[in-house]
């Protein structure tokens, strides 16, 4: 089997996976990359893949949905990468090798673009409040102010006589 056939079969298998969403325009570039990788791994000289200029790299990161639509629901945030809803984007971004800052930069988002859905964040806040997370420090300070300090002199206890 030659490199072109192998690259084609791998590309078809990758496209057949329902978890991968790809536009039809992206398939030829993916096939070229797959072929170059297979040729390189086989020890041959990989054909030169066209160097991506800034205009091409910008077109490569077109959002799956608009920013407005991504924030359209309080229950989830829709990822600009794949168009799927998530309660929190951090794990999803890390699976794509991105930090929240890189994600915001890639799609020209504002620095305050949320990474967690509002309702999910509120539910977590209420749960933390209910179980008392973060209250230990405040409670200790208020208890110290409310209770007077113990007196330094203590009365000696009377010894019980054994009769």
């Amino acid at each position: 089997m030659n490199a072109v056939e192998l690259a084609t079969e791998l590309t078809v298998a990758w496209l057949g996976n329902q978890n991968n969403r790809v536009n039809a325009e992206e398939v030829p570039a993916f096939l070229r990359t797959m072929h170059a990788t297979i040729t390189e791994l086989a020890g041959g000289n990989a054909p030169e893949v066209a160097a991506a200029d800034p205009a091409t790299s910008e077109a490569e990161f077109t959002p799956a949905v608009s920013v407005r639509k991504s924030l359209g629901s309080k229950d989830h945030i829709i990822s600009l990468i794949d168009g799927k809803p998530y309660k929190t984007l951090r794990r999803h971004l890390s699976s794509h090798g991105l930090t929240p800052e890189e994600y915001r930069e890639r799609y020209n988002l504002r620095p305050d673009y949320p990474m967690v859905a509002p309702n999910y964040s509120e539910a977590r806040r209420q749960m933390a409040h209910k179980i008392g997370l973060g209250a230990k420090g405040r409670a200790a300070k208020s208890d110290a102010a409310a209770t007077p300090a113990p007196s330094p002199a203590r009365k000696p206890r009377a010894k019980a006589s054994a009769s």
Side-chain angles (χ1 to χ4, degrees):
M1 180 178 292
N2 67 22
V4 174
E5 291 173 351
L6 183 58
T8 303
E9 285 187 30
L10 289 172
T11 302
V12 169
W14 186 76
L15 292 171
N17 184 344
Q18 63 184 1
N19 293 324
N20 297 325
R21 291 188 179 181
V22 181
N23 295 331
E25 297 85 35
E26 297 172 358
V27 174
F30 181 79
L31 182 58
R32 277 192 292 277
T33 304
M34 183 66 71
H35 179 262
T37 304
I38 290 171
T39 306
E40 181 180 343
L41 290 174
N45 291 332
E48 291 296 320
V49 177
D53 60 339
T56 307
S57 64
E58 286 297 321
E60 195 174 310
F61 301 122
T62 55
V65 295
S66 69
V67 174
R68 174 174 268 176
K69 186 174 181 181
S70 74
L71 299 175
S73 173
K74 290 188 179 270
D75 294 327
H76 58 263
I77 296 176
I78 298 177
S79 168
L80 299 176
I81 297 171
D82 61 6
K84 294 179 182 178
Y86 297 93
K87 289 184 179 182
T88 177
L89 289 176
R90 289 191 187 273
R91 183 177 292 164
H92 169 64
L93 295 179
S94 67
S95 69
H96 288 278
L98 293 172
T99 64
E101 292 77 24
E102 292 169 342
Y103 178 74
R104 289 179 179 121
E105 185 180 313
R106 176 184 281 190
Y107 294 108
N108 297 321
L109 302 172
R110 294 177 26 178
D112 63 345
Y113 181 87
M115 292 291 125
V116 179
N119 286 351
Y120 182 69
S121 178
E122 180 62 23
R124 295 290 300 245
R125 187 190 71 75
Q126 288 176 354
M127 182 175 42
H129 184 72
K130 183 178 179 181
I131 63 174
L133 290 178
K136 185 176 182 180
R138 288 192 300 267
K141 288 178 185 175
S142 65
D143 287 345
T147 58
S151 60
R154 297 178 81 186
K155 294 181 182 178
R157 293 175 62 183
K159 293 184 180 179
S161 61
S163 337

